[in-house]
Amino acid sequence: MADSADSFAPGEGPTRPISVSLHEGTIAALKERTGKRGMSAYVEALIQRQLERDRLRELIEDAEAEHGPVDQAAVAAKRAILRGASVGSADAA
């Protein structure tokens, strides 16, 4: 029988406590940033963001395996457009 947690996407479903081990310095910095009561929400958001990044990396790797590596000149040109610079501008990088 599959674990019922398998049916939930990240950020969905009921919450439940788990145990993780962190370095004392990390715990102190986390408490300073979030307060004692905001730690779980902060860690949840970090994990969700990392899962999204991991999945994005997998999608990029799959696309590059199928279509070849990304054309860096094309990326720079699109970045320049997004930043409002002309394509030939020195600010494009």
Side-chain angles (χ1 to χ4, degrees):
M1 182 172 160
D3 184 351
S4 64
D6 292 340
S7 61
F8 297 111
E12 296 180 348
T15 61
R16 63 185 176 102
I18 63 166
S19 176
V20 297
S21 300
L22 302 171
H23 294 278
E24 286 291 337
T26 303
I27 295 168
L30 181 60
K31 284 182 181 178
E32 183 179 322
R33 179 160 302 271
T34 65
K36 192 172 186 178
R37 309 214 22 98
M39 291 172 51
S40 290
Y42 191 84
V43 171
E44 170 81 14
L46 291 173
I47 292 169
Q48 286 183 35
R49 184 167 44 248
Q50 186 60 48
L51 289 168
E52 289 171 356
R53 291 177 135 196
D54 292 347
R55 182 64 184 134
L56 181 57
R57 170 53 43 205
E58 291 165 1
L59 290 170
I60 291 169
E61 288 171 355
D62 290 348
E64 287 182 339
E66 184 174 340
H67 304 287
V70 174
D71 178 353
Q72 292 302 318
V75 171
K78 298 296 185 192
R79 184 176 289 133
I81 292 168
L82 290 172
R83 292 182 176 165
S86 63
V87 176
S89 171
D91 295 333

